[in-house]
Amino acid sequence: MNSQDLRIAIVGGGRVGLRTARTLDNRGHTVIVIERDPVRSDQIADEYVATVIEGDATKPSVLKQVGLEKTDVLAALSADLGTNLATCLTAERYGSPIRTVMRRTEEEDDEYADLVDETVFPERAGARSAVNAVDPGTRALEDMIGDLEILVMEVTENAPVAGRTLTDIGLPRGSLVVSSADGDRIADAETELEPGHSYVVATEPDVEDEIVRLFRG
Amino acid sequence: MSEAGSRQPEAELGLLDATMIGMGAMIGAGIFVLTGLAAEIAGPAAILVFALNGVVTAFTGLSYAELAASIPKSGGGYAFVREIFDDLSSFIMGWMLWFAYMIAGALYALGFAPNFLELLHVYGVVGPPEAVGAVALPVVDAAVPAAFLLAFVAVFLLAALNAVSTAASGSAETVFTIIKVGILAVFVVFGFASPMFSGAEFQPLFSEGSGAAAILPAMGLTFIAFEGYDLITTVTEEVKNPRENIPKAIFVSLIATVIVYLAVVAVAVGTLGAGGLAEAGEAGIATAATSFMPTGLPIIQNGGALIVFGAVFSTLTALNAVVIASSRVAFSMGREGQLLPTFGQLHHRYGTPFIAIVTSAVVMLGSVALPTQSAGNMSSLFFLLSFVIVNVAVIRLRRERPNMNRPYEMPFYPAPPILGIVLNLLLTGVLVEYLIRTDPLALGLSIGWILVGGVAYVVLNRVRSRSETETETETDSDVPAVTED
């Protein structure tokens, strides 16, 4: 846990897994994807967002090839609950402290809350996008922003921007600090980026890693 | 008003750009600065030296291609080694590679200075080198600082430029490299056509006394002329369609560079003779050019001035490239927690790895006090050692991560990495032996750097374990939020 970028292993390079890998790579993290299907595995390698391990992640000999001992987070995002649970438990067993995130297949299901650190239900976001398309007058936020990422970022203690005002810092073109600390006001030139507080930042994908590095150290 | 960003983001690099980054770093270093020194050691066999180095380095090139295609990280050889080696080994790798680039920076700066003086001389701003040389002996103190000062200023200005701006990257490098290669092409064409070349003297091929054995130390010294593919892999994440373009860029830049080298060295040895080339030292190519290029041209007057300009331009752009490369290695190490975390931080205003650049620049500025040959020796030594580790990394990854998707798999595995390891170690051994005999300063400083690295590693581990116990209680809030659903 001594590096500033996370090392993240993603089980399952399907739509959810790959999309997650892309987003995390954009933020400058190191991503390793385990994918069983050889064709899909080549497709992911083509995108050059992650190192790809081709094989069945439920086999410890395959899972260990992501380098579990230095991996910070394991995200089991395949469509199969059994695979996800098995890989999370294997990772807990072999990884020195590792955070596990598991994709669950039932919407309301806290059955596994004690076994893994976090569960996600990606279908909810998918359904929201569908609702937005069906009823465009009232759109939920996630779906109306095209390629832009709207991030809520907490400034860390050692971040380059910590304790500085917006006039003081130079942000890359394609990024914008929207709100001041904890979202009560619109940011202006005098807004100070205080460590421990969160800010809403809009960023184009090209510069996302730089923004994350400026805010998170 | 909310603060909108104002700095330009980095551009995407195509195959041409990536190839040119590799060639740009190689050409300008080896050829302009080291040809004279290689001729001094090996005689006319300097041609063989460059050809054989091309072969040796091709094996490591294959390893880089395989690693870079499967591991999407921009950190050069360090990133790949970090992937599979433990903390200590990867630290040593990064520490050596960082140093290799910094010393290369000093080498290019030292190559820049005499060529710049030569350019000034061609236009009559300073006295002719013969006159300077004649007066130089009694007043060594006055002559040395001029070149030293120039080298110092060059490093300082380029480091300052890169510290406050991210603009000087990819596409400019393409234009620079095309200019460099164009100028060398002019050199080669005029050289082959010149009457001096028709009476070319390549015999005896090996210098008397040391004979064929002299090739090896000369190879060690000039090895740095082939370090460019590591540089390509420091920018892989900005390359378009990387899985195809990176291996291609590595091979194309390597082959093109070897061809350019061979033509240029053949012309230089053919026209000036190995002896004359050796005498000219860092300004070897420039001196050769002035001897046969036509004079009385419009604007530039002396055709040789074009080549001298090429040398000045090449050494400066190569210097710029290694300023960036060295700081990227230090930045990666900082981000991996293998140097102080501040090395891995972007500057709040300039968005550059400021601390990494400034620190690298300080070491480079100190190193321009070295003799050119020592800088070449040390830089080559550390590149050789780093490349040994990269080759080992390929083998370890094949064994321990058999399921890793390798978009580019090298042919005839495991022969290339094994040959790479053996040949690089052989050159390392020869170079060390040569240093013991002729350049104990370089050897001492190299060992010194490793020792400093050992101390730094221990101290950093202490600092880190202390800060980790302090933050142990709050690590839970330390992980960036994962958006649920």
Side-chain angles (χ1 to χ4, degrees):
Chain A
M1 284 289 228
N2 49 27
S3 116
Q4 288 162 296
D5 302 319
L6 296 173
R7 182 183 175 91
I8 301 143
I10 295 179
V11 174
R15 282 166 301 213
V16 177
L18 180 56
R19 182 71 242 175
T20 309
R22 273 190 213 128
T23 308
L24 289 168
D25 172 69
N26 249 343
R27 293 185 190 171
H29 299 302
T30 301
V31 186
I32 302 105
V33 172
I34 311 174
E35 168 59 44
R36 195 167 34 185
D37 178 52
V39 177
R40 184 71 185 168
S41 151
D42 284 347
Q43 283 170 354
I44 303 165
D46 266 342
E47 292 219 7
Y48 210 65
V49 294
T51 301
V52 184
I53 306 286
E54 190 182 309
D56 181 354
T58 54
K59 291 184 181 160
S61 66
V62 173
L63 190 62
K64 278 180 180 171
Q65 289 182 40
V66 303
L68 281 179
E69 66 290 344
K70 44 184 164 187
T71 302
D72 301 297
V73 186
L74 179 105
L77 301 177
S78 84
D80 179 57
L81 185 71
T83 302
N84 293 347
L85 187 59
T87 49
C88 283
L89 297 179
T90 314
E92 299 262 11
R93 174 83 172 71
Y94 292 109
S96 61
I98 188 169
R99 214 167 149 261
T100 49
V101 176
M102 189 188 83
R103 175 179 171 186
R104 60 177 195 264
T105 46
E106 300 293 329
E107 180 150 21
E108 305 302 334
D109 186 358
D110 55 2
E111 184 91 30
Y112 307 100
D114 289 343
L115 294 173
V116 299
D117 293 314
E118 196 94 45
T119 63
V120 291
F121 186 67
E123 282 82 354
R124 186 189 295 170
R128 185 173 293 157
S129 302
V131 170
N132 282 343
V134 171
D135 178 17
T138 315
R139 296 166 73 97
L141 184 63
E142 275 100 337
D143 197 44
M144 64 168 279
I145 46 187
D147 279 343
L148 287 184
E149 287 275 7
I150 309 286
L151 306 171
V152 181
M153 271 189 300
E154 187 188 315
V155 174
T156 55
E157 202 69 44
N158 302 319
V161 299
R164 298 180 194 275
T165 61
L166 284 179
T167 27
D168 237 8
I169 63 177
L171 293 175
R173 189 167 297 176
S175 60
L176 181 73
V177 177
V178 179
S179 81
S180 67
D182 299 322
D184 298 332
R185 296 180 49 209
I186 295 294
D188 62 26
E190 298 309 311
T191 298
E192 190 188 325
L193 299 169
E194 296 164 63
H197 290 261
S198 294
Y199 298 81
V200 176
V201 184
T203 152
E204 291 171 14
D206 288 352
V207 295
E208 193 179 344
D209 61 336
E210 196 176 326
I211 290 294
V212 172
R213 282 170 179 184
L214 285 170
F215 277 73
R216 306 279 311 169
Chain B
M1 186 211 82
S2 52
E3 186 79 347
S6 50
R7 270 184 290 107
Q8 284 284 11
E10 288 160 11
E12 277 223 306
L13 310 174
L15 173 61
L16 183 69
D17 296 313
T19 307
M20 289 302 161
I21 284 175
M23 286 183 71
M26 293 195 266
I27 292 173
I31 208 66
F32 283 106
V33 184
L34 295 173
T35 313
L37 300 175
E40 190 180 337
I41 300 172
I47 302 168
L48 267 184
V49 166
F50 280 95
L52 289 175
N53 259 346
V55 174
V56 170
T57 203
F59 296 119
T60 310
L62 286 169
S63 296
Y64 265 94
E66 176 166 321
L67 293 171
S70 46
I71 302 174
K73 277 177 122 181
S74 299
Y78 170 69
F80 309 140
V81 170
R82 179 77 183 136
E83 182 66 31
I84 191 72
F85 279 93
D86 59 14
D87 283 351
L88 179 60
S89 309
S90 42
F91 174 83
I92 291 172
M93 167 72 187
W95 189 253
M96 294 199 304
L97 193 61
W98 184 31
F99 194 58
Y101 275 125
M102 289 189 288
I103 298 293
L107 173 70
Y108 301 164
L110 288 167
F112 158 77
N115 282 305
F116 189 67
L117 287 175
E118 172 84 17
L119 186 66
L120 293 181
H121 156 60
V122 172
Y123 289 104
V125 182
V126 298
E130 300 87 50
V132 172
V135 209
L137 281 177
V139 278
V140 158
D141 283 16
V144 172
F148 171 76
L149 198 69
L150 268 175
F152 194 89
V153 169
V155 172
F156 185 84
L157 288 181
L158 283 177
L161 183 73
N162 281 295
V164 300
S165 150
T166 47
S169 63
S171 35
E173 189 67 29
T174 306
V175 179
F176 291 168
T177 308
I178 290 173
I179 293 174
K180 284 194 232 184
V181 175
I183 289 175
L184 283 174
V186 171
F187 173 83
V188 169
V189 169
F190 276 93
F192 277 126
S194 105
M196 291 172 73
F197 189 79
S198 50
E201 199 49 72
F202 292 99
Q203 298 295 337
L205 183 58
F206 302 109
S207 56
E208 65 283 5
S210 40
I215 288 188
L216 287 175
M219 281 175 74
L221 168 66
T222 56
F223 190 78
I224 186 195
F226 296 88
E227 109 295 287
Y229 42 73
D230 187 79
L231 214 65
I232 296 177
T233 59
T234 60
V235 296
T236 44
E237 277 181 308
E238 289 140 50
V239 176
K240 272 178 263 178
N241 191 7
R243 120 177 168 144
E244 271 187 26
N245 282 341
I246 291 164
K248 272 189 200 158
I250 289 173
F251 300 136
V252 174
S253 69
L254 192 56
I255 292 165
T257 302
V258 170
I259 292 172
V260 171
Y261 281 179
L262 292 185
V264 169
V265 178
V267 166
V269 173
T271 52
L272 208 55
L277 201 53
E279 226 164 81
E282 301 94 324
I285 299 295
T287 314
T290 342
S291 72
F292 66 73
M293 290 294 282
T295 53
L297 299 171
I299 306 168
I300 58 166
Q301 296 164 23
N302 187 333
L306 177 69
I307 310 301
V308 182
F309 168 76
V312 168
F313 183 73
S314 299
T315 43
L316 266 189
T317 48
L319 175 58
N320 186 51
V322 294
V323 167
I324 296 171
S326 60
S327 61
R328 279 194 197 237
V329 174
F331 180 72
S332 303
M333 291 181 77
R335 292 211 72 77
E336 291 289 332
Q338 293 216 296
L339 285 178
L340 287 176
T342 45
F343 279 82
Q345 288 198 337
L346 298 177
H347 190 269
H348 63 275
R349 178 175 285 275
Y350 308 123
T352 55
F354 194 79
I355 302 290
I357 291 178
V358 170
T359 314
S360 307
V362 167
V363 177
M364 278 188 211
L365 288 172
S367 311
V368 295
L370 289 169
T372 308
Q373 191 161 356
S374 298
N377 284 332
M378 288 164 73
S379 185
S380 290
L381 179 66
F382 281 97
F383 275 117
L384 281 166
L385 289 170
S386 310
F387 289 172
V388 169
I389 305 182
V390 170
N391 280 306
V392 177
V394 169
I395 297 175
R396 283 197 60 178
L397 274 166
R398 286 257 191 162
R399 294 167 68 127
E400 291 172 32
R401 310 248 167 107
N403 291 60
M404 191 165 82
N405 187 308
R406 293 176 172 80
Y408 172 80
E409 280 197 23
M410 69 171 77
F412 309 115
Y413 177 86
I418 290 175
L419 280 170
I421 292 167
V422 170
L423 293 173
N424 284 337
L425 279 178
L426 174 72
L427 285 184
T428 307
V430 169
L431 189 56
V432 167
E433 191 272 337
Y434 177 76
L435 291 185
I436 292 172
R437 277 191 291 122
T438 64
D439 198 352
L441 170 76
L443 194 63
L445 286 174
S446 303
I447 295 170
W449 178 256
I450 303 256
L451 291 178
V452 170
V455 173
Y457 183 78
V458 173
V459 171
L460 278 168
N461 264 346
R462 288 261 166 81
V463 171
R464 195 165 50 219
S465 58
R466 198 181 322 140
S467 70
E468 248 166 40
T469 43
E470 273 170 21
T471 54
E472 199 89 296
T473 45
E474 41 176 326
T475 39
D476 273 6
S477 62
D478 222 37
V479 188
V482 178
T483 325
E484 187 157 350
D485 67 22

